[in-house]
Structure formats: C-alpha cells, structure tokens
Amino acid sequence: MSENAGKKVLVTGASGGIGRAIALAAAKAGYEIVAHYNHGAEKAEALKNEIEALGGTCSLIQFNISDRADCIEKLEKWSEENGAFWGIVLNAGICRDNAFPALTDENWDDVLHTNLDGFYNVLKPLVMPLCRKKRGRIITVSSVSGVMGNRGQVNYSASKAGIIGATKALAVELASRKITVNCIAPGFIETDMIKDAPVEHILPTIPMGRAGKPAEVAAAAVFLLSEDASYITRQVIGINGGII
C-alpha cells in the first residue's frame, strides 16, 4: 500500500493545464484527488476518468474561487463530511493582459478577485481543520510574473506577487502546526494560457531556450506534498528555465 493512501489532496483549477498535470502526478503518487473546477465540467470528468483508469481515486468539486460564500458553503460541507485535506494546491487563476493605460476596471477586478481573493476564499474554511490535525501541505501557484513583473500584466503581476507575500506569512503562522506552506512560480509553460503569446520573442529570453512542460511543474508540487518535504516551508520555487 502506498504511504500516501488515504491522504486527500485538493487541486483547484484541475480541469486543464498545470492543474490537470498536478492532479495526475499526485494520483500516480498514491494521493486521493479532489479535483476542483468551475466551468470546465467535461474536462474535470475526463480527468476523473483518466485517474480512475490508472487505478487512482478522484472526486470532483465545483465552486467559484472568487465567490467567498460559494467557497465557504462547498468547502465547509466537504470538510464536515470527509475531514481535513492532507494537501491543498491553489492552482486556479486567470489573466486579463493589456497595457496598463488600456486596462479596464473589470480587467483589474476580475484578476485580483480571482487570483488573490481566491487564496483567502479557499484557505479560510480549510486551515482550521488542518491545524486540528497538526499536519498537512499547502502549495500555492504564483508566476514568474509575480516575482519580476511583466509588461502588459500589471494586474496579473500584482495578484501573483500578493500570493507570494500571503504564502510566506501563512507559512510562519502554520509552521508550529507541522503544516508547510510553499509557492511554485512557473515561467513560460506549455498551456492554453500562452497560446496567443509572442513565442518568437519570449524564447530568446529563456536561458534553456524552450517552454516548460506542465509535468515539470507537477513534479515539484508532488515533491512538496511528500513527507520528504517536511522541512521545506516559506519558499518560492521557480520553474522557469533560468529566466530569473
């Protein structure tokens, strides 16, 4: 039996891209996956079927991470019925890129309410059950944009930098409870989010000369979920091909 049997891991934004890769990799490592989606029901169901075909366990949960009441209702109900998660991977997020003078109020609000408020909305109902268990892993997904800033992404960079600060502060608060809190900051990764990006201009800025793969991000997440990562907390791990 896997040492991870019975350990439930929530992955937000699991219906595509990096979230899907993390859910699959964690399932292969023996964790029981709770895959979150908001609008991508068909993709989430396909992920569930794929995990189960591999012999893993996956259940689905739907809520809007930018809607605090929705998060509280769904996650408190889940915790009451199932207990605390072992791991929480906060991956869900959006971007609305534009030059700062052209950003609309909606561009700013949508990105901040989803990416940054989502940190609070998802974790607030889940942290106390973790504290009572005195164990667990929290992994946030920021971005190289949140570390160094990026042209056309003032809103996105602000939200992702905020996640880094929140991660570091929460890590300090939860360390005595044996709960680690770390951040992964991917760079240019092959997902739908970069499909319209100017690849020919971006690749020359990456020392490794290529885009990363979702599985490479997932590998880091699975390690941070493991018992072997029990002394790693408050860290930001860049997966970016050496861009910074």
Side-chain angles (χ1 to χ4, degrees):
M1 182 179 291
S2 166
E3 66 176 0
N4 298 322
K7 292 180 177 177
K8 295 177 175 61
V9 174
L10 171 67
V11 182
T12 68
S15 59
I18 290 172
R20 178 180 179 278
I22 292 173
L24 279 170
K28 290 176 182 177
Y31 296 100
E32 296 182 10
I33 304 304
V34 180
H36 157 264
Y37 69 97
N38 187 20
H39 300 298
E42 290 184 4
K43 289 183 178 180
E45 192 64 42
L47 170 66
K48 180 178 186 293
N49 292 338
E50 187 170 355
I51 288 174
E52 290 176 346
L54 293 169
T57 301
C58 180
S59 58
L60 303 180
I61 186 169
Q62 184 278 331
F63 55 85
N64 180 354
I65 67 168
S66 67
D67 184 330
R68 188 164 300 158
D70 193 29
C71 291
I72 291 171
E73 178 187 351
K74 304 286 179 58
L75 292 171
E76 284 188 347
K77 182 175 185 294
W78 192 95
S79 295
E80 288 170 3
E81 294 176 352
N82 301 281
F85 287 103
W86 163 260
I88 302 164
V89 183
L90 298 179
N91 164 76
I94 63 170
C95 63
R96 298 287 185 268
D97 296 350
N98 215 332
F100 186 73
L103 279 179
T104 65
D105 290 350
E106 186 177 40
N107 292 153
W108 180 268
D109 291 342
D110 285 352
V111 170
L112 270 291
H113 288 327
T114 301
N115 297 355
L116 188 52
D117 288 357
F119 173 99
Y120 180 87
N121 295 344
V122 173
L123 286 182
K124 192 62 163 60
L126 297 180
V127 162
M128 280 310 297
L130 280 179
C131 288
R132 286 191 287 270
K133 289 282 189 181
K134 294 187 178 181
R135 60 170 201 151
R137 305 281 185 264
I138 296 172
I139 301 169
T140 63
V141 179
S142 178
S143 167
V144 67
S145 184
V147 178
M148 61 184 288
N150 196 26
R151 177 191 292 270
Q153 291 191 320
V154 174
N155 52 352
Y156 186 73
S157 294
S159 70
K160 292 298 188 176
I163 286 171
I164 290 173
T167 299
K168 286 178 171 287
L170 187 60
V172 176
E173 291 191 19
L174 299 184
S176 65
R177 303 286 182 152
K178 299 181 181 178
I179 300 165
T180 67
V181 190
N182 291 290
C183 181
I184 293 172
F188 195 62
I189 308 296
E190 293 176 354
T191 67
D192 287 345
M193 194 172 279
I194 69 164
K195 63 184 178 183
D196 297 321
V199 176
E200 68 280 5
H201 297 301
I202 294 172
L203 291 185
T205 70
I206 302 172
M208 293 196 73
R210 67 172 177 88
K213 300 181 184 305
E216 293 171 313
V217 180
V222 171
F223 174 70
L224 290 174
L225 286 170
S226 73
E227 296 284 1
D228 289 339
S230 62
Y231 199 54
I232 301 172
T233 196
R234 207 184 184 193
Q235 302 306 303
V236 180
I237 299 174
I239 303 174
N240 55 45
I243 198 169
I244 188 173

